[in-house]
Amino acid sequence: MNFEEQKKDFFDRLGESCYMVLATSYKDYPMASTMTCLVFDGKIWMQTDKKFPKYEQIVKNNQVALCKHATQIEGTAEFCGHPLDKGNEKFVELIKKYYPETYKMYSNINSEVVIKVTPKKAIDWRYEKGDNKIFNFDFENEKLDVQIYNNGK
């Protein structure tokens, strides 16, 4: 099983836009927030206001997790400036395309910031033709392990 092909399939399955739950934590205080996400360049992108607790948590601990359906992702978050800053053109193009109301309502607010998550690991449960497969991605080491889950057997 070719890692690059499976990685491409993984990101294709996430889609170019989706809703995901972002989990952040600092000093034993976890939070989870549903986010509008964009997926491009092998990263997951979103925006938030610097006034929200999740921003402060990421400042203090940039290790985050994301979840979409039966897919869990561990990664590192990085701030990429204001949505309208130079370098965020692709983000703006896609947010306008998929979430035009989000763009109109939030992207001009001075305290908004773009978050880029670089996946480190992912667990992707796939239910295909009666098989339960667990795809364990290690993006840092470019490794993939696939397990068959036989309903606890």
Side-chain angles (χ1 to χ4, degrees):
M1 202 171 293
N2 180 293
F3 178 81
E4 284 303 317
E5 289 173 10
Q6 289 299 318
K7 178 180 171 182
K8 181 185 177 323
D9 182 61
F10 173 81
F11 284 106
D12 287 348
R13 288 167 42 82
L14 284 180
E16 196 170 50
S17 72
C18 60
Y19 291 98
M20 299 183 85
V21 175
L22 169 69
T24 58
S25 180
Y26 181 68
K27 287 194 176 182
D28 296 328
Y29 182 69
M31 291 185 62
S33 308
T34 301
M35 305 292 290
T36 53
C37 297
L38 301 169
V39 180
F40 62 92
D41 296 340
K43 315 281 191 241
I44 300 151
W45 305 73
M46 62 207 78
Q47 73 182 59
T48 193
D49 195 305
K50 292 179 181 179
K51 297 173 185 170
F52 293 143
K54 67 180 154 260
Y55 172 82
E56 281 301 316
Q57 286 191 323
I58 293 170
V59 166
K60 295 172 181 170
N61 177 11
N62 70 345
Q63 302 306 301
V64 299
L66 293 158
C67 186
K68 177 188 176 190
H69 305 299
T71 301
Q72 305 158 51
I73 300 167
E74 299 171 25
T76 304
E78 175 184 343
F79 297 113
C80 297
H82 188 271
L84 303 180
D85 284 352
K86 185 175 172 124
N88 288 331
E89 293 85 2
K90 185 159 185 179
F91 177 84
V92 168
E93 172 192 332
L94 293 177
I95 201 143
K96 282 181 178 179
K97 176 180 177 181
Y98 292 108
Y99 306 108
E101 290 302 313
T102 297
Y103 174 77
K104 288 178 197 170
M105 289 173 31
Y106 303 116
S107 293
N108 286 305
I109 297 172
N110 288 337
S111 53
E112 284 290 295
V113 65
V114 173
I115 302 168
K116 172 177 70 173
V117 176
T118 301
K120 292 163 56 172
K121 294 182 180 180
I123 299 170
D124 189 19
W125 284 72
R126 298 185 192 174
Y127 308 98
E128 301 166 344
K129 300 176 187 170
D131 288 335
N132 297 324
K133 293 181 182 172
I134 307 167
F135 286 68
N136 293 288
F137 286 89
D138 178 344
F139 295 107
E140 292 179 309
N141 296 303
E142 297 187 349
K143 292 184 180 176
L144 174 63
D145 177 55
V146 180
Q147 298 173 291
I148 303 292
Y149 183 73
N150 292 322
N151 300 324
K153 298 176 186 170

